[in-house]
Amino acid sequence: MVAKVRLFVEHPLAQGQTVPLERDQAHYLFGVMRLGTGDEIALFNGRDGEWQAVVEAASKRGGVLRATAQSAPLHMPPDLWLLFAPIKKARTDFIVEKAAELGAARICPIGTDFTNSERIRQDRLQAHATEAAEQCGGTYVPEVAPLAKLDKVLAEWPSGRHLLFCDETARGAASDFTALPRGPWAIVIGPEGGFSPAERDRLRAHPAAHAVSLGPRILRADTAAVAALTLWQAALGDWS
Amino acid sequence: MVAKVRLFVEHPLAQGQTVPLERDQAHYLFGVMRLGTGDEIALFNGRDGEWQAVVEAASKRGGVLRATAQSAPLHMPPDLWLLFAPIKKARTDFIVEKAAELGAARICPIGTDFTNSERIRQDRLQAHATEAAEQCGGTYVPEVAPLAKLDKVLAEWPSGRHLLFCDETARGAASDFTALPRGPWAIVIGPEGGFSPAERDRLRAHPAAHAVSLGPRILRADTAAVAALTLWQAALGDWS
């Protein structure tokens, strides 16, 4: 089973459209994936759906593709953001990959009281989201936002957007996601050590917040992110 | 926030029970975690719940703990198995960790037509499951079964156990897990390249099988495992 190579490009895609390749794209397609002139690949740009394309020219430093036919329409994810507190590199990468795979529209790293990392490699996380979209057959790549402090994010919270708060200390919290209102949402996941008591109080008191339970076990932050995205998608998103 | 150290032991646990430590346990507690005589830790053995214990003796090569009081009853997971096809080391480790965290009772690596790995390190995977239970506050450690061929597993399928088959090619498959029957279950997840057409036919035709959909995107095997475990637990397991 050789899966067709899928590539995210910035360029517009349309019937007969030529797409020039940058150096790193040429290296990936012709050096790593061993494609050559006449080979087929699939392209998407987050706006025009998925397009079949053929390699028209290939060199070490560049190349040209030509789009031949649209193979899938644009499939936008539901209006769901994932807010998470990045800590360890491997688990941060994992959360971004899974959020893209599971169909989050926007990925927002947040700084919290128990988060040590003062900065993130936004470009690297964005590349992870793009690669996940390439792998999972997506036609859309969620944007990775700059790191922002949770306090500031909550103070400037957009009107009308619900906030799903996975509260592992609230045993009585709802676990039935189908009872939640429809509309734009954000899921917020704390760091490995949890939110601080002050943050927890602020989240609980926030007018947009809905507390939910993710079962009787303590989940790691990355597991909680995947579980919450899954339950939201199945109940309120595009899985049903 | 210093979380209390939790340790899985084989030894029976009861009021006043002394627990001798093996060399690697002593190294972990006294070398890595820097515990000493009089310090408290939490113990569980998969049978007697969680117990508070104190360090009575500590040396480089061993030590003795004494159980003082039960701090949590045994919480058995629901009767849910996870069957998965191990391929890449990191993602295999991840699936085992997440299955333990999410409350699977048994983890069964399976060999499939598109699985290359002929053998697994069962002891290493079992250690991952144990560590995940230690981390997530579990009082039970799921058993990691030996690698078995999918064909053989299906041919000898235990009577009365339902089989959840995540069929990414069946667009019409159910996504409402609450409509599934109650009882013992197993979730089966294919390898990264999917099941072979022959395997897919065999799974579809199996009398215990229920096909479900995990949404419109193609999920990686590890994501599919976490998503299916989550939806099952929320609908039929111990999350509600």
Side-chain angles (χ1 to χ4, degrees):
Chain A
M1 292 242 309
V2 179
K4 185 175 279 188
V5 177
R6 300 184 85 245
L7 186 71
F8 175 81
V9 294
E10 299 282 355
H11 209 272
L13 295 171
Q15 186 75 41
Q17 177 72 55
T18 53
V19 178
L21 293 174
E22 291 169 22
R23 191 176 179 142
D24 56 342
Q25 292 171 326
H27 171 73
Y28 171 68
L29 293 184
F30 311 134
V32 180
M33 300 309 291
R34 304 275 170 190
L35 296 187
T37 311
D39 283 342
E40 290 205 329
I41 78 164
L43 304 178
F44 65 106
N45 61 7
R47 303 181 302 276
D48 300 320
E50 184 189 77
W51 285 79
Q52 298 306 301
V54 289
V55 178
E56 286 212 332
S59 79
K60 278 192 177 174
R61 298 186 177 193
V64 177
L65 309 176
R66 181 180 297 274
T68 53
Q70 195 187 43
S71 43
L74 175 64
H75 179 91
M76 289 288 290
D79 191 357
L80 174 65
W81 299 355
L82 176 69
L83 277 59
F84 79 103
I87 305 194
K88 292 176 193 163
K89 183 176 170 297
R91 290 191 192 261
T92 297
D93 291 353
F94 174 85
I95 288 176
V96 169
E97 174 188 305
K98 294 313 174 212
E101 261 184 80
L102 292 166
R106 191 178 157 86
I107 302 168
C108 310
I110 49 167
T112 71
D113 291 347
F114 296 154
T115 311
N116 288 318
S117 63
E118 288 302 312
R119 59 179 84 175
I120 55 160
R121 283 282 310 274
Q122 195 183 346
D123 58 337
R124 204 173 52 79
L125 294 182
Q126 186 64 65
H128 269 289
T130 303
E131 197 188 316
E134 287 173 346
Q135 291 255 1
C136 78
T139 52
Y140 178 84
V141 179
E143 185 200 358
V144 178
L147 185 68
K149 290 272 184 198
L150 177 64
D151 285 1
K152 194 163 179 294
V153 170
L154 290 181
E156 297 167 2
W157 193 250
S159 159
R161 182 172 296 274
H162 302 291
L163 181 64
L164 191 80
F165 162 42
C166 302
D167 190 351
E168 72 264 28
T169 63
R171 274 287 175 270
S175 61
D176 179 10
F177 279 53
T178 59
L180 298 171
R182 302 208 161 236
W185 275 91
I187 293 169
V188 59
I189 299 286
E192 209 70 355
F195 291 111
S196 71
E199 286 171 336
R200 209 180 291 278
D201 289 346
R202 209 168 304 136
L203 279 165
R204 283 200 188 119
H206 198 284
H210 301 254
V212 293
S213 160
L214 295 175
R217 292 163 208 87
I218 301 160
L219 301 185
R220 279 184 161 119
D222 57 349
T223 321
V226 175
L229 287 165
T230 297
L231 291 173
W232 190 94
Q233 282 285 18
L236 302 169
D238 62 11
W239 285 27
S240 50
Chain B
M1 293 242 309
V2 179
K4 185 175 280 188
V5 177
R6 299 184 84 246
L7 186 71
F8 174 82
V9 293
E10 299 283 353
H11 210 271
L13 295 170
Q15 186 76 41
Q17 177 72 55
T18 53
V19 178
L21 293 174
E22 290 168 22
R23 190 176 179 143
D24 56 341
Q25 293 172 324
H27 172 74
Y28 171 69
L29 293 184
F30 311 134
V32 180
M33 301 308 292
R34 303 275 169 192
L35 297 187
T37 310
D39 284 340
E40 289 204 331
I41 79 163
L43 303 178
F44 65 107
N45 60 7
R47 302 180 304 274
D48 299 321
E50 184 190 79
W51 286 78
Q52 298 306 301
V54 289
V55 178
E56 286 211 332
S59 79
K60 276 192 181 176
R61 300 186 178 193
V64 177
L65 310 175
R66 181 180 297 275
T68 53
Q70 194 188 43
S71 44
L74 176 65
H75 179 90
M76 288 289 289
D79 190 356
L80 174 64
W81 299 355
L82 177 69
L83 278 58
F84 79 104
I87 304 194
K88 292 177 193 162
K89 183 175 171 297
R91 291 192 191 261
T92 297
D93 291 354
F94 173 85
I95 288 175
V96 169
E97 174 188 306
K98 294 314 174 212
E101 261 184 79
L102 292 165
R106 191 177 157 87
I107 302 169
C108 310
I110 49 167
T112 70
D113 290 347
F114 296 155
T115 312
N116 288 318
S117 63
E118 289 301 311
R119 59 178 87 173
I120 54 161
R121 284 282 309 275
Q122 194 184 348
D123 58 337
R124 205 173 52 78
L125 295 181
Q126 186 64 63
H128 270 288
T130 303
E131 198 187 316
E134 288 172 347
Q135 291 257 357
C136 79
T139 52
Y140 177 84
V141 178
E143 185 200 357
V144 178
L147 185 68
K149 291 273 184 195
L150 177 63
D151 286 359
K152 193 163 179 296
V153 170
L154 291 181
E156 297 167 1
W157 194 250
S159 159
R161 182 171 295 274
H162 302 290
L163 181 63
L164 192 80
F165 163 42
C166 303
D167 189 351
E168 72 264 28
T169 63
R171 274 288 175 269
S175 61
D176 180 11
F177 279 53
T178 58
L180 297 172
R182 303 210 161 234
W185 274 91
I187 292 170
V188 59
I189 300 287
E192 209 70 355
F195 290 111
S196 71
E199 286 171 336
R200 209 179 290 279
D201 289 345
R202 209 167 303 137
L203 280 164
R204 282 199 189 121
H206 199 284
H210 300 255
V212 294
S213 160
L214 295 175
R217 293 163 208 87
I218 301 160
L219 302 184
R220 279 183 162 121
D222 57 348
T223 321
V226 175
L229 287 165
T230 297
L231 292 173
W232 190 93
Q233 282 284 19
L236 303 169
D238 62 10
W239 286 26
S240 50

